Amino acid sequence: MTATLDHQDDLDAELDRPRRRRAKLIWLTLGVIGVAGAGGASWYLTRDDGGEAAGAATGPAATAEVVRDTIAATETWSGTLGHGDALGIPAAQGTLTRVAAADTEVTRGTELFRLDERPVTALLGVIPMYRDLGPGDEGIDVEQLEANLEALGYDGFTADDEYTDNTAEAVEEWQEDIGAAETGTVARSDVVFLPEGGRVGTVYGDLGAPVTPGSPVLDITGTDQVATLEVDVADRDLLAVGTAVTVVLPGGAETAGTVTAATVVEAPAAGGAPGEEETASAEDAVVEIEVALAEPVDAALVGSPVDVVRPVDERPDVLVVPVTALLAVAGGGYGLEVIAADGTTSVVPVELGLFADGRVEVVGDGIAEGDVVGVAGR
């Protein structure tokens, strides 16, 4: 039974790695094609220096064993090792007098920086600090602030949605402890609410330099190491959230990972002719992927390129041979030159299955685990 034409592209791709090996294989298989019609099973080789035929009984230059194994085809994408998306922390106007160092752990109560010696503190919560808070104010943002004060060990108030005089007293105690003016009120620029803890990434501000309102002083990233990459929209199903992958680090070491985010990002608008409205092409959209590493790796690798690999097809418990063992046979299809214990050979037709890593799944009558087959010489 012959292989279908669908395998030709796979075969060409495998044989193309490296090209020298592909050229050698084609050269060898041409000899087999030449004798297949006459029933010959011997290897017919031509030399590089003139094309003179070798002896008709010449055997294969090298051999391999048919093995039973699991073969898996994979897809690979290029990415970068880091800590995920960065959140820029802007400032009000003033002079930067202190700033947290890069890689500082950020949690509830961490001082991020100081403007004119007024501390800016990280607290935890999902509601941004969008207004000044003081006695008489009510709302979910008040409750969020009071919950943080309570978690930091301050008491004497009820953590609800009302900013009372008791709340103000707790705020004064907190302000005294962090070295801030004891006003009993919390200005919008005094705290930054973060959904979760993290680490200081890049620090943009220089000590002693003036800061303009809204300009970033530093950014905060997650603490976990992640690989980030962009893939074509057509590949998003292969890297859906929850997909297990392998992350290949510089030097070849591997670690497990899991896709934790997959976001489609529209292409930027492309400028048209003068006077025409700019349009974005959906065909150029990409998917931003984030992969969390199962175990942290050397921090010195952060910022390095990595490969993200996942299997796309797998065949367990099948017969496998090197791709270079395949011979084109007369009438189409492929075969293997099986070498018997007494040294005689025969070309056995096979059907081709999955290609991966220079190997191919084969099925054929007369092919069994442990058989020795000829392969193209290196």
Side-chain angles (χ1 to χ4, degrees):
M1 202 176 295
T2 60
T4 65
L5 293 179
D6 291 341
H7 291 295
Q8 189 61 49
D9 289 341
D10 290 337
L11 181 58
D12 289 345
E14 290 291 340
L15 295 181
D16 199 41
R17 300 197 300 261
R19 188 168 296 278
R20 178 182 300 175
R21 183 182 300 172
R22 183 183 182 187
K24 185 82 170 182
L25 177 59
I26 292 175
W27 172 56
L28 291 171
T29 58
L30 287 176
V32 176
I33 294 171
V35 300
S42 298
W43 286 69
Y44 281 70
L45 309 180
T46 56
R47 299 189 312 193
D48 292 334
D49 56 354
E52 183 178 353
T58 301
T63 62
E65 188 173 300
V66 179
V67 298
R68 186 169 293 279
D69 200 357
T70 295
I71 185 170
T74 61
E75 285 280 355
T76 301
W77 299 266
S78 297
T80 303
L81 183 64
H83 290 282
D85 292 336
L87 174 65
I89 306 300
Q93 188 167 357
T95 298
L96 188 63
T97 53
R98 304 188 202 186
V99 64
D103 288 326
T104 297
E105 182 182 5
V106 177
T107 186
R108 192 192 322 267
T110 299
E111 181 180 302
L112 300 177
F113 53 87
R114 291 195 178 204
L115 289 178
D116 301 333
E117 275 303 278
R118 183 168 185 166
V120 177
T121 305
L123 299 177
L124 301 184
V126 296
I127 308 298
M129 189 68 173
Y130 64 92
R131 61 172 176 166
D132 297 342
L133 294 177
D137 288 329
E138 298 182 5
I140 191 171
D141 53 342
V142 172
E143 184 174 359
Q144 180 174 264
L145 173 65
E146 291 179 333
N148 274 269
L149 291 172
E150 188 173 62
L152 289 170
Y154 299 96
D155 55 21
F157 61 92
T158 301
D160 55 17
D161 60 357
E162 296 182 7
Y163 198 120
T164 64
D165 290 338
N166 290 336
T167 304
E169 289 180 8
V171 168
E172 288 180 17
E173 291 181 30
W174 170 60
Q175 290 170 331
E176 180 182 9
D177 291 341
I178 65 175
E182 300 169 35
T183 63
T185 61
V186 183
R188 177 181 178 182
S189 59
D190 287 344
V191 301
V192 176
F193 280 106
L194 303 172
E196 58 186 358
R199 58 178 285 279
V200 175
T202 303
V203 177
Y204 303 102
D206 295 323
L207 290 179
V211 177
T212 57
S215 60
V217 174
L218 50 79
D219 60 34
I220 295 175
T221 67
T223 55
D224 295 335
Q225 293 175 337
V226 299
T228 56
L229 57 152
E230 290 185 352
V231 303
D232 294 335
V233 173
D235 290 340
R236 63 179 169 181
D237 289 342
L238 296 176
L239 292 173
V241 172
T243 300
V245 298
T246 298
V247 179
V248 183
L249 305 169
E254 298 181 355
T255 186
T258 304
V259 177
T260 53
T263 307
V264 177
V265 178
E266 296 294 338
E276 292 184 1
E277 184 178 352
E278 294 184 344
T279 58
S281 172
E283 296 180 355
D284 295 330
V286 296
V287 183
E288 292 183 348
I289 303 294
E290 184 172 284
V291 176
L293 273 58
E295 297 290 340
V297 299
D298 187 348
L301 295 177
V302 171
S304 301
V306 295
D307 286 334
V308 174
V309 183
R310 69 145 291 179
V312 293
D313 197 0
E314 183 176 276
R315 306 288 174 81
D317 195 33
V318 295
L319 297 179
V320 178
V321 298
V323 170
T324 49
L326 296 178
L327 303 174
V329 298
Y334 295 91
L336 299 174
E337 185 186 34
V338 179
I339 305 167
D342 61 3
T344 60
T345 65
S346 60
V347 176
V348 178
V350 292
E351 288 187 346
L352 308 185
L354 187 64
F355 286 78
D357 299 326
R359 304 192 305 164
V360 60
E361 171 193 358
V362 293
V363 178
D365 294 336
I367 297 296
E369 180 181 2
D371 285 348
V372 178
V373 298
V375 298
R378 296 178 183 272

